[in-house]
Amino acid sequence: DRRMKDRAAWDRDILGPGFMSRTIDLHPDEEGPVATTVVVHVPEDDPAMGGPGRPLRQHPDFVFLAIHGYQVELARAVSAAGGRFYAVDLRKYGRSLREGQTFGFIRDLASYDEEIHACTDLVYEEHRGRLPLVIYGHSTGGLVVALWADRHPGAAQGLVLNAPWLEYHGSTMARQIGAPVVDMLARL
């Protein structure tokens, strides 16, 4: 079946036809309730992909989970290549930001493991664990998924990093001077 297993749990996304989203509640933190939002590209419902009636592969060949950044063109390219595209708004970003929360605030990047695992569990459930999983991280998402992959070897069959934020940019002197200032500000 080309359709997602449980369409009722998904809502039409703000990206329009061909995109659906679903919110997953996470454990609260010091600012209160926390959630992550997963978006899936449904090419058979996407007018830019030919819409209903367009012949598609019976089953996707792989799952592509993008962390940070919704790139409609990337979703369509992955779908055209035979993958099922999912993307995530991490806690306190985009669709997952709740009133009273500090945008992007997290004390420990390992805390993102909760939502990455929730998303991979969802993907494995949707596809009965049969498909290879490729995780894509852009910018800060690249740092998050690189650290996650290191903590969970073998959990994904592929890792794609696009402009990952893996270190401070600038000269060595700027990094040496800037790091203590950033550390001090982070404590505040």
Side-chain angles (χ1 to χ4, degrees):
D1 166 331
R2 292 184 323 207
R3 303 278 179 175
M4 292 176 309
K5 182 179 170 190
D6 184 10
R7 291 291 285 278
W10 296 85
D11 294 314
R12 186 172 179 166
D13 189 66
I14 59 172
L15 293 176
F19 293 89
M20 299 185 78
S21 61
R22 168 180 195 164
T23 299
I24 300 171
D25 292 326
L26 304 171
H27 292 100
D29 69 8
E30 63 270 14
E31 293 185 328
V34 179
T36 190
T37 307
V38 183
V39 175
V40 65
H41 181 231
V42 186
E44 57 267 28
D45 295 341
D46 185 347
M49 299 286 296
R54 176 183 174 265
L56 294 171
R57 295 177 189 219
Q58 191 65 18
H59 300 284
D61 296 325
F62 63 96
V63 172
F64 191 92
L65 178 63
I67 297 188
H68 253 19
Y70 290 91
Q71 300 174 11
V72 171
E73 295 80 16
L74 178 60
R76 290 177 176 143
V78 167
S79 294
R84 178 64 88 186
F85 181 90
Y86 293 84
V88 180
D89 267 342
L90 296 171
R91 68 183 73 199
K92 301 181 185 182
Y93 283 97
R95 297 164 184 80
S96 300
L97 181 64
R98 301 295 181 255
E99 188 174 328
Q101 293 180 337
T102 305
F103 177 81
F105 178 75
I106 194 160
R107 291 196 184 275
D108 182 356
L109 292 176
S111 298
Y112 287 128
D113 285 11
E114 181 184 5
E115 58 232 73
I116 294 172
H117 287 292
C119 294
T120 57
D121 288 351
L122 173 81
V123 165
Y124 284 130
E125 181 184 320
E126 291 271 329
H127 301 283
R128 296 185 281 289
R130 298 180 312 204
L131 301 177
L133 173 65
V134 176
I135 297 189
Y136 165 93
H138 172 71
S139 188
T140 310
L143 174 62
V144 168
V145 300
L147 293 170
W148 176 84
D150 183 60
R151 285 189 299 274
H152 305 283
Q157 288 66 54
L159 183 65
V160 178
L161 304 179
N162 176 11
W165 189 59
L166 300 178
E167 69 172 342
Y168 294 115
H169 296 283
S171 70
T172 301
M173 181 184 282
R175 287 193 307 262
Q176 289 173 340
I177 293 170
V181 172
V182 170
D183 289 343
M184 181 184 69
L185 290 173
R187 280 190 293 261
L188 293 175

